[in-house]
Amino acid sequence: MAHAPSAASGTSASRHSASRQPSATAIVGLQWGDEGKGKIVDALASRFDIVARYNGGANAGHSVVVGGERFALHLIPAGILHKGKPAVVGCGTVIDPDWILKEIDGLIARGIDCSNLMISDRAHVVMPWHKHEDELREKWLAAKSVEPIGTTKRGIGPCYADKVQRGTAIRIGDLLRPEQLATKLATTAPFKTAVLSAMAQGGDTSAFHYDQAELLKHAAMWASRLKPYITDTSGFLLDQIDTGKTVLLEGANATLLDVDHGTYPYVTSSTTCSLGAPTGTGIPLSSVGAILGVMKAYSTRVGGGVMPTELIATEADRTLADKIRTRGREFGTTTGRPRRVGWLDLVAVRYSVRLNGCTGLCVMLLDVLEGIDTLRICTGYRDASGKDVPFVPDANWLSNVQPVFRDVPGWHGDISGARTMAELPAGARAYLDLVEEFLGVPVAMVSIGPGREQLIHC
Ligand code: IMO
Ligand code: MG
């Protein structure tokens, strides 16, 4: 789907757009990922003209269940499941071409039309050396007895690092210019061989001898297959906004994994919160009107880093965590790793809500908490001396806080068939009321099962 700048790109159109109502809505995760953003994007996509992903790469895993069939998406926005709707992979993403091709092929094989997929020519390419470096760095930390970041090993951090370093970065658009790509590879491949071989410290370095001819051949395959999708998506989106089209912005990863605002250094490498949506797609800040924060009814985290409300201290905690993990299918969509489980941490979520400027909340996986007599919600942090302390997005700070819990009665009985708030048991409604009151933002949707229809619009 090639894009040529339209007549609307001129000055009069810009004046015109200045008076427009915001036409974009952002969907952001409020915890450490896997909140169910894909399901919300899928639920709202039909109301928008375009769906655009603004950050991350194949580290994300968004699953959507349609008619009992589960679709696991990593790079392609969940909007692709809506026929005919442009699904944009924005300039703020990092793309492993082999991975996105596998995803396209998988979707097509299941009858999903991918002709409306658009990939930014300015998105960055995850090259083999990025994945190798990701792995080496994690090993390095472990060897030095430092808790590794626990990355997905998809090359995300090293690719974003190259983007910022510039000299050795490769963008998707470069794939369509073989001569330029050959020049870039001629500088970059030997550099990466040298750096990674040194990092391997006497280990096996054979994988780091990048054969330029082989790479060029492989990149030519990427180019020929991806060409129909590669375009100036930023220009496309600006033009669409000028003509009054609406955009649903799909955030990947989540706020507490944001590189600036998350629980650093146990974060990912992009701006995952709503602040990343304009830069990651190339649309103006003023075009984002609504921001929907997606949160689970409890907490999960995968990879390293502290989670203050983690259910881990006692045997009973771990048993409950196992129960929630099994019921909530809390195993990584991307890596299959079991997710760490904890009570809902409203202190952390309130931080995310304020940072994102959320206008509404989507509470997900509420059904998973059914049958637990007493539920705990973290409503404060204290330090070792018992003094109240705030949430600070820093791993060191958080490893020294103690959660303060409010205990609330749970509810019994399956709620997955409820379709209105009135059909929820009193305990579940009280739980949601507490969330809403503490966060000061209305609950807009409640998910009570994986299916498309298992979503209550409040
Ligand atoms: P979705 O979109 C859960 C975590 C990784 C690791 C850290 C850094 O499915 O919500 P990276 O490979 O990005 O360098 O890893 O961030 N992480 C996620 N955890 N869901 C995600 O995305 C994640 N994206 C990154 O587990 O701890
Ligand atoms: Mg995930």
Side-chain angles (χ1 to χ4, degrees):
M1 198 191 243
H3 170 69
S6 78
S9 319
T11 334
S12 62
S14 311
R15 266 201 304 274
H16 181 55
S17 65
S19 60
R20 275 200 186 285
Q21 288 299 309
S23 54
T25 291
I27 306 296
V28 289
L30 298 178
Q31 294 154 314
W32 286 280
D34 310 315
E35 295 92 349
K37 299 175 285 291
K39 176 168 174 172
I40 297 301
V41 170
D42 178 61
L44 295 179
S46 62
R47 303 186 199 171
F48 289 82
D49 298 308
I50 302 155
V51 179
R53 165 97 177 252
Y54 61 82
N55 73 299
N59 53 353
H62 296 174
S63 45
V64 181
V65 178
V66 184
E69 219 186 320
R70 181 173 286 270
F71 291 87
L73 300 159
H74 300 277
L75 275 157
I76 298 179
I80 198 78
L81 302 177
H82 294 253
K83 193 169 163 52
K85 200 165 295 284
V88 172
V89 184
C91 57
T93 62
V94 288
I95 299 173
D96 179 338
D98 283 326
W99 195 279
I100 203 166
L101 284 169
K102 202 167 86 181
E103 211 164 305
I104 294 168
D105 289 343
L107 286 168
I108 291 173
R110 294 170 77 181
I112 306 294
D113 175 20
C114 287
S115 60
N116 288 304
L117 176 66
M118 301 172 83
I119 302 173
S120 171
D121 53 358
R122 282 186 255 158
H124 279 249
V125 180
V126 176
M127 295 295 290
W129 42 77
H130 294 135
K131 288 179 272 190
H132 293 152
E133 184 179 339
D134 203 352
E135 192 128 17
L136 281 174
R137 281 180 177 271
E138 289 285 271
K139 273 196 197 142
W140 183 285
L141 292 180
K144 304 286 176 211
S145 303
V146 173
E147 184 185 9
I149 305 296
T151 75
T152 56
K153 306 213 173 94
R154 297 284 143 83
I156 308 296
C159 184
Y160 276 116
D162 265 346
K163 170 179 174 171
V164 181
Q165 291 278 16
R166 296 150 294 162
T168 51
I170 294 169
R171 304 212 286 191
I172 289 286
D174 293 330
L175 300 179
L176 303 183
R177 297 179 285 270
E179 279 173 24
Q180 188 176 319
L181 182 65
T183 312
K184 281 201 168 191
L185 289 178
T187 6
T188 305
F191 175 77
K192 295 294 180 183
T193 302
V195 172
L196 297 193
S197 300
M199 277 178 80
Q201 289 208 309
D204 181 12
T205 60
S206 51
F208 312 143
H209 292 280
Y210 304 107
D211 184 309
Q212 287 172 49
E214 273 298 308
L215 279 175
L216 266 176
K217 207 168 112 199
H218 201 67
M221 180 278 283
W222 288 341
S224 75
R225 294 214 47 210
L226 291 176
K227 193 165 187 258
Y229 310 110
I230 300 173
T231 189
D232 171 15
T233 57
S234 303
F236 168 77
L237 289 171
L238 279 179
D239 284 349
Q240 296 299 303
I241 284 176
D242 276 351
T243 56
K245 294 284 192 336
T246 56
V247 187
L248 187 61
L249 299 158
E250 177 173 341
N253 326 123
T255 304
L256 300 176
L257 294 171
D258 186 283
V259 69
D260 289 291
H261 306 288
T263 52
Y264 199 85
Y266 295 95
V267 295
T268 187
S269 306
S270 65
T271 303
T272 57
C273 69
S274 62
L275 305 172
T279 47
T281 50
I283 63 168
L285 205 53
S286 55
S287 63
V288 186
I291 296 155
L292 281 179
V294 188
M295 57 184 279
K296 286 183 193 195
Y298 48 93
S299 306
T300 63
R301 180 163 201 176
V302 58
V306 61
M307 178 166 72
T309 61
E310 186 165 9
L311 279 160
I312 196 146
T314 65
E315 192 56 43
D317 282 352
R318 291 189 290 274
T319 305
L320 180 57
D322 277 343
K323 184 169 158 180
I324 295 175
R325 187 178 298 113
T326 307
R327 273 204 201 160
R329 301 172 60 114
E330 298 295 357
F331 297 88
T333 319
T334 302
T335 58
R337 291 178 290 179
R339 296 176 188 143
R340 297 152 59 196
V341 174
W343 294 117
L344 178 59
D345 183 346
L346 282 183
V347 180
V349 175
R350 183 164 59 188
Y351 162 80
S352 296
V353 164
R354 293 175 66 210
L355 175 74
N356 284 295
C358 287
T359 55
L361 300 169
C362 305
V363 180
M364 314 302 284
L365 292 135
L366 187 67
D367 53 305
V368 173
L369 295 184
E370 182 272 319
I372 300 170
D373 290 335
T374 303
L375 298 167
R376 314 196 82 188
I377 299 184
C378 171
T379 53
Y381 287 166
R382 290 207 178 119
D383 68 11
S385 71
K387 192 172 93 176
D388 288 340
V389 290
F391 178 92
V392 175
D394 174 89
N396 273 325
W397 175 273
L398 290 175
S399 58
N400 291 310
V401 305
Q402 287 301 323
V404 179
F405 287 111
R406 195 183 296 181
D407 288 352
V408 296
W411 60 89
H412 292 266
D414 183 12
I415 61 169
S416 62
R419 294 296 173 266
T420 63
M421 290 294 268
E423 287 169 330
L424 289 177
R429 285 205 308 273
Y431 194 84
L432 294 170
D433 286 346
L434 201 161
V435 167
E436 197 171 72
E437 188 192 324
F438 192 91
L439 299 176
V441 177
V443 173
M445 280 178 258
V446 179
S447 175
I448 33 75
R452 239 183 196 173
E453 67 295 347
Q454 290 174 302
L455 192 63
I456 300 172
H457 295 258
C458 307

